[in-house]
Amino acid sequence: MPFSERDPDPPQERTQAQVRQGFLHRRRERMVAEIQRNRRGEYKVPTWVMGLALVVVVAGWLALILL
């Protein structure tokens, strides 16, 4: 059965503005959700911060041993 016979109202293509508006809406919703999680204390430390802390600790040990 062809597409036009199954669905009398085929979906319309979205315009560039509609796609961008949807993207911005989803991005805003993600930011609001993250802020709410952070306010509840459910925040996570970013990976780059953990990596930086590891480098500092290793460098400190090396400095302690070598000096």
Side-chain angles (χ1 to χ4, degrees):
M1 180 180 336
F3 181 74
S4 60
E5 293 177 12
R6 287 184 289 161
D7 189 7
D9 297 323
Q12 300 295 321
E13 290 210 21
R14 297 187 306 167
T15 65
Q16 178 79 18
Q18 289 172 326
V19 171
R20 181 152 177 81
Q21 183 180 10
F23 169 78
L24 293 174
H25 179 71
R26 287 188 307 274
R27 181 178 168 99
R28 177 179 165 80
E29 289 298 319
R30 283 193 306 263
M31 285 190 289
V32 167
E34 181 178 357
I35 290 169
Q36 289 172 346
R37 280 192 309 272
N38 290 344
R39 287 181 178 166
R40 288 191 306 264
E42 300 175 16
Y43 56 88
K44 297 179 182 176
V45 178
T47 305
W48 67 269
V49 173
M50 295 298 283
L52 182 63
L54 178 62
V55 168
V56 168
V57 169
V58 170
W61 273 102
L62 286 175
L64 183 65
I65 292 171
L66 295 176
L67 300 175

